[in-house]
Each structure stands twice: as structure tokens, then as C-alpha cells.
Amino acid sequence: MTTRSTRSPRRRTVIALAVVLAVLAGFIVRLVDIQIVNADDHIADSMQVALGASRTLYGTRGEIVDESGQTLAGSILLYDGVLDPKNVGPLTREAADGRRVAVPWKDVAAEIAAITGQTSEEVQKIVADALQDDPDSQFAYLKRGLTTEQYRALVDIGAPFLTFDQHPARTYPDGAVGGNLVGFMSIDGDPLAGIEQSQNDCLLATDGTLSFQKGKDGVIIPGTEVHQPAVNGGTLQLTINRDLQWYLQQLIGEQVQDMGAKRGTITVVEVKTGKIRAAAEFPSVDPNDVSAAEVENRYSHIFTDTFEPGSTFKALTGSMVLDAGGQDLSSTVVASSTETFANGARVRDAFEHEAYDYTLAGVLIDSSNAGISKFSERISPQTRFDYLQMFGIGSGSAVGFEGESNGLLYPVAQWDNQQLYNTSFGQGVTTTVPELVGAYDAIANGGLRMPLSIVESCTKADGTVITPQLPDPTQVISGGTSAKMREILENVAMQAGYAQQVEVPGYRIATKTGTGEKSNGSGGYKAGVYFTTMIGFAPADDPQYLVAVTLDEPTAVTSSSANAPAFQKAMTQVLKTYRVMPATTAPTLLAKFG
């Protein structure tokens, strides 16, 4: 039996429990209202007193690699040191005896300067100038582009008024190797030249962001983070061989200095594919230190310079008359060292000689301007013009290199009496190194001119591989004409005055030289100043690689024989690099005279 005394405490317990449950239920209802039912409204209310913030998530610019995957350009992390001028001051540190001592700002500035390569006065001036412009300034660059080692050393100073912005930056492991070709970037990460600029679509990274909201106390408000991931740039593979490029840059540097030339280039092309395996220049530029190079040496002269090709064009004219003029290896012309033609034009050879009964091979061996002019009469001027266009003269190489130039080939209607003959031996027309090697590629490759290329592929961050769209090959001359011209050019290498200088033991070589006059800018030519070229391929009976060497204004030797030592060494190295087998057959010796 329950008494009054036992019922009262139990009733009080039940009432208290009911009150607690009611209060708890109220909290639960309110929590559901805040977190679920009206969550968006409450977040919006909090944003009115929140502080927005974001952080850049940097993507990494893609690598540029050579044909075997060796890095020519890559990315590293650099740091921008930022000072807070308003809060700059002495630092408190613990002394050796355990006491806390103040280190004056000028001493701190000296510690900073010793790491950054500045002077203490320069660091102090950065702060003073910022405060002069704005007494409340809290931002001034100490120095941009600090290395990881510098960053760590500066952090160890323990200055709360010194912070760092991290960002990716470009690095070129081999320095000037391929510098004119690869190009370079600005300190802000903008491509300024070369492959970096022309292939930016492949290499470009897309930065991401991490944005969030912070309350007044600086704490990130849960649920406000928005993450936009970065996308890295693609890997760009070039057709260039890095080791061959390095060797040829050293070689052309030596030849330029030995010959007292302004500059020089060596270009190597794989005959059957049109792939450029080396594009070496001197002077070059180190993309890691662009300011150390003269402005005119920061870009590729291989792709941007135009020049009169001189006697290298005689091989093109010879190919035309063999292909369309009914000529063969036994055809001849009678030519003296000076010839006056029916239209009044006069053509001179570089050396005095009596009237020779020249074969086409003899004309090219002696590099007779008069002889090739007479052969050129056996096809119409329009036919010559059409062939030059098919050879690619005046059309550019379509490689897509930034700033690439085109040669200048005037229509036949604009040829005067003299130009009618001059164009047969490379005067009155300009070309570029890529155009010229493309034309010789047709001669070497069975008459088929392959489009030149310098980009192998672009592999995007997601693994997608993109290959460049190249023009179709052009059949310029017949396979039979190509074979005859290869035979003639091999005889040039064997019988020309520089034959011993270009000989590569064990291999059959084909060559032609050209000495182009340089314009004085007013319709004439500079006296005694030339642009010299030597171009050739090997093996002559089955061409695999084509090499072109140019020198701009050589002074020690002003003729194209100045190029011979560099050509011989370059061709030798190319044949070794790609393990081309020596000849197993003997060449045919052609007669110079009928």
C-alpha cells in the first residue's frame, strides 16, 4: 500500500523528468531548425559579419622534353618575400646567457639582405618607401622569385612581419641548350618567346581556388569551403635530340668565333620524316638568365632570319631542268666566266675561266653562275617559279614557331632582265633555313618534300595525347630526277675545292654551298659582306639525315668554305648519334665537261 509520504517524492521526480524532457525537446527542435530547416537563412545571416577569403591552388606548367623524354624545361616552386612595413621593428631573441634581448631592425635587415643578395640599406629602403607612400602600409615586396633554400633561411630569422607567397616558376636544367628554341617566361609566368609561347596551349596550367568564409575571430565557418582543383599543363615532347643539340651548339660557337662571324646556325633534319633533330645557334640565350643575353640573341635566327641563298639554289634549278627541261647527266652548256645574254643581262662567275663545255654536274662542282643561267633557259621562267613554290620557297615551313618568317619570291611578271637569270643561282630571292632544308629534303627523299616538324606530341594532364596536324607531303620532282641530283651533289662533295674538308670516312656525302650577298637596305649589296651556307645529306645513296650550316658575315674566310669544318663535324656526329651504317657501295664519278 502506497502512503502519502511515498507518493509525493515520486510525483516530484516524474514532474522534474517531464520538465527536463520538454526542455531537451525544445533544444532538439531549435537545433533542427538551425541546422536543417532554416540552415541557408542562418548561414546567410552569419555571412553579414563573416570575412570572405580564398587561397590560390597553383597548377604546374607542363614540361618540355626532347625526343627521348629528357627535360628541357620544367617547373619548380619559388617564393615571393612580402614585408609588413607598418609592423616592421626589432626582434626579441634569447641571448646566450638566457636573457631576452632586442635585435634592432637595421640588424634584422642585414640578416635578411645576406640571404636575398641585397644590401641592408636596400631592404630598409623598401620599408621606408612603402611607409612614405602609405603610413598604414602592410604590403611591400622584399624580393620575388626566392629559392626554397632562401625561403627556409628567411623563415629561420623568425620575423613575424615577413611572409611568403608560394608559386610555381620555370626552370631550364640545361641552361642555354636549346635556349633560342625553347624560349623563356616572364617573372609573372607569361610565355615570351619560342616553344614556350607558340605551344602555350599545351603547356598552360589552370590554377584552382580554395575559397571559404571566416568569422570575426578568424575561424573558418564550417560548410563554407568551396574547392576548385587546379589542372596541370601538358607535357610537350619535341623532335629535338638534347645531346645532339648540346654538341652542335658548342660546335657552331667555336666556328663562329674561329671565322669572326656575327652568328651561326646548324640545323639537322631526318630526311624521311621531316623531323627537326637539332636547331643549334650561337650566340644563344640561357632562359634561366635572359637578361644576360643581348636582345637580338634571345630569339631563334633559324626561324626568323631571311637571306639570299646563293649557289645552294643551283641544285634546285638543276632539279628543274632535269625534271621538266629534257636534260640528263650528259647534257652540256658552253659557258665562259662572264656571259652576256640576249636581253642584256650579264652574269659572272667567281673565278676567271675560258669557255667550258660544262655538264650539269660540272656547273654545280665549279658553282658556275653563268653555266646554271644557261641551263635555266631550257625551261620557261614560269615553270621555274612554279617549281620554286613546290619546293616551298617563300611559303614558310609551317612548323608553327613563334615569329617565323617567310622567304620572298617575286612573281615572274616582276622579274627584270637581270633577275630572270639571278634567280637561278640564288640572287634576287630570299629564303629561310627551314625553307631551304625543306627544298633539299625533296631532292634527297625521292622528290617528296616532307613537312618539317619540331613538336612530336602533347600529352595532357588526363593522359590524352595530341599530335600536330601537318600539311601533306609534296611531290616536287620525280624519283628518277631525285636520284640523278643526289648523284650530282655527291660529286660536288667529292670534286669541289673543299672536298677533303667535308669528307666523312666510310660514308658517301652529298653537299652544296652558297655565298649570298647581303642587302645594304637601299637596293644594293654590302661590299665584301656575305651570308654563307653549306647544306648536304648522307648517305648520298640512301639519305637519312640532312645538315645545314650557316654563318652570318664571316670575316676570317668570307666564302662558303668557311662552313666546311663545322659541316663535317656536325654530319659525323649526326651519323654516330643515329648509328647510320657506313657505305657498302662505291660512288659513280661524273665528268665535269662534255
Side-chain angles (χ1 to χ4, degrees):
M1 179 175 180
T2 302
T3 65
R4 177 187 291 269
S5 62
T6 59
R7 287 200 301 271
S8 292
R10 183 179 298 171
R11 184 181 296 115
R12 286 195 298 271
T13 300
V14 170
I15 291 172
L17 180 61
V19 171
V20 170
L21 290 174
V23 172
L24 182 60
F27 277 117
I28 292 173
V29 169
R30 182 57 177 160
L31 186 61
V32 170
D33 174 72
I34 293 172
Q35 295 288 347
I36 300 175
V37 178
N38 294 305
D40 292 342
D41 292 338
H42 292 300
I43 290 175
D45 290 341
S46 70
M47 293 304 158
Q48 295 179 9
V49 295
L51 301 175
S54 65
R55 182 179 305 147
T56 299
L57 304 175
Y58 291 104
T60 302
R61 186 172 177 82
E63 284 190 326
I64 300 175
V65 300
D66 80 339
E67 64 167 334
S68 62
Q70 300 296 315
T71 301
L72 296 170
S75 293
I76 58 173
L77 284 178
L78 291 182
Y79 301 82
D80 294 338
V82 178
L83 290 165
D84 179 352
K86 184 178 180 180
N87 293 302
V88 163
L91 296 182
T92 301
R93 291 178 180 163
E94 185 174 323
D97 59 4
R99 293 182 300 109
R100 303 292 291 178
V101 296
V103 180
W105 159 233
K106 67 174 184 177
D107 292 344
V108 177
E111 293 180 34
I112 293 172
I115 297 169
T116 62
Q118 298 162 289
T119 66
S120 175
E121 291 73 19
E122 288 173 335
V123 173
Q124 294 178 69
K125 187 174 186 300
I126 291 171
V127 172
D129 288 348
L131 292 175
Q132 184 176 359
D133 293 339
D134 178 8
D136 293 322
S137 173
Q138 292 185 285
F139 182 93
Y141 276 120
L142 167 65
K143 192 170 186 179
R144 305 182 70 179
L146 298 168
T147 65
T148 300
E149 291 75 15
Q150 289 174 312
Y151 159 72
R152 289 173 177 169
L154 289 169
V155 168
D156 289 343
I157 291 176
F161 46 78
L162 177 58
T163 58
F164 304 89
D165 290 336
Q166 173 183 298
H167 62 84
R170 214 58 169 154
T171 184
Y172 304 87
D174 293 323
V177 176
N180 304 71
L181 188 65
V182 172
F184 49 87
M185 311 282 289
S186 72
I187 193 172
D188 295 318
D190 297 321
L192 297 181
I195 295 293
E196 291 277 28
Q197 187 171 17
S198 63
Q199 299 297 321
N200 190 50
D201 287 347
C202 171
L203 300 166
L204 185 65
T206 303
D207 291 339
T209 57
L210 175 62
S211 57
F212 47 85
Q213 296 289 339
K214 297 189 295 183
K216 287 184 176 180
D217 56 1
V219 177
I220 296 176
I221 298 174
T224 64
E225 296 108 320
V226 177
H227 184 265
Q228 179 66 41
V231 178
N232 293 334
T235 298
L236 186 75
Q237 185 173 30
L238 303 184
T239 60
I240 297 296
N241 180 296
R242 183 191 66 170
D243 294 340
L244 181 62
Q245 178 79 20
W246 175 85
Y247 176 86
L248 296 182
Q249 279 191 216
Q250 309 309 307
L251 176 59
I252 193 60
E254 292 175 4
Q255 195 69 9
V256 165
Q257 294 174 63
D258 289 347
M259 292 296 119
K262 287 176 60 179
R263 63 178 51 87
T265 74
I266 302 178
T267 307
V268 179
V269 171
E270 194 171 73
V271 169
K272 291 177 170 56
T273 65
K275 294 179 180 180
I276 299 173
R277 295 305 186 188
E281 306 184 36
F282 182 87
S284 187
V285 59
D286 182 349
N288 296 305
D289 186 15
V290 177
S291 62
E294 298 292 335
V295 173
E296 63 179 4
N297 296 328
R298 298 177 187 177
Y299 308 94
S300 174
H301 290 274
I302 288 177
F303 289 96
T304 59
D305 284 3
T306 61
F307 57 94
E308 288 198 356
S311 295
T312 57
F313 251 39
K314 289 170 183 168
L316 277 61
T317 303
S319 298
M320 299 173 198
V321 300
L322 288 172
D323 205 57
Q327 306 300 292
D328 57 32
L329 296 179
S330 63
S331 300
T332 62
V333 295
V334 176
S336 302
S337 55
T338 301
E339 291 286 341
T340 301
F341 292 87
N343 67 357
R346 297 189 69 193
V347 176
R348 299 176 184 272
D349 285 348
F351 64 101
E352 292 290 331
H353 63 85
E354 61 189 24
Y356 288 155
D357 186 21
Y358 269 131
T359 63
L360 185 57
V363 166
L364 267 69
I365 291 168
D366 281 356
S367 203
S368 170
N369 297 337
I372 200 66
S373 295
K374 286 202 166 186
F375 267 114
S376 75
E377 292 182 311
R378 296 178 182 179
I379 55 175
S380 71
Q382 187 60 50
T383 298
R384 282 202 287 127
F385 176 85
D386 293 341
Y387 268 101
L388 287 174
Q389 285 196 312
M390 287 192 292
F391 273 120
I393 304 304
S395 62
S397 70
V399 168
F401 193 85
E402 192 69 28
E404 183 178 353
S405 299
N406 291 6
L408 180 59
L409 175 63
Y410 290 103
V412 173
Q414 297 182 29
W415 292 1
D416 60 24
N417 289 345
Q418 190 64 49
Q419 196 172 9
L420 181 67
Y421 294 99
N422 286 1
T423 51
S424 70
F425 53 87
Q427 286 189 355
V429 58
T430 64
T431 189
T432 65
V433 170
E435 286 181 359
L436 188 62
V437 297
Y440 269 74
D441 183 77
I443 294 173
N445 192 40
L448 186 66
R449 178 169 63 88
M450 300 301 295
L452 300 184
S453 62
I454 202 166
V455 173
E456 191 71 54
S457 65
C458 172
T459 303
K460 293 290 190 178
D462 62 3
T464 302
V465 179
I466 302 171
T467 55
Q469 296 296 314
L470 299 175
D472 293 331
T474 302
Q475 190 72 45
V476 182
I477 54 178
S478 70
T481 298
S482 168
K484 293 174 184 176
M485 187 50 60
R486 293 199 305 267
E487 197 170 352
I488 290 174
L489 291 175
E490 183 175 16
N491 272 265
V492 174
M494 291 190 298
Q495 299 188 52
Y498 54 79
Q500 291 185 339
Q501 290 180 279
V502 299
E503 182 182 5
V504 180
Y507 291 90
R508 293 171 59 179
I509 307 296
T511 62
K512 187 69 190 81
T513 59
T515 304
E517 294 185 276
K518 295 193 67 173
S519 171
N520 60 14
S522 57
Y525 293 102
K526 295 179 180 179
V529 177
Y530 303 99
F531 188 95
T532 61
T533 306
M534 179 171 281
I535 187 167
F537 47 83
D541 55 330
D542 181 22
Q544 300 296 316
Y545 292 94
L546 190 153
V547 173
V549 179
T550 73
L551 290 174
D552 191 358
E553 300 188 14
T555 56
V557 177
T558 58
S559 69
S560 49
S561 60
N563 303 45
F567 176 88
Q568 193 275 343
K569 293 176 183 177
M571 181 62 81
T572 300
Q573 187 64 32
V574 169
L575 296 173
K576 287 181 179 179
T577 297
Y578 291 104
R579 300 181 180 180
V580 178
M581 296 299 293
T584 57
T585 59
T588 300
L589 191 66
L590 298 179
K592 288 175 59 175
F593 307 113

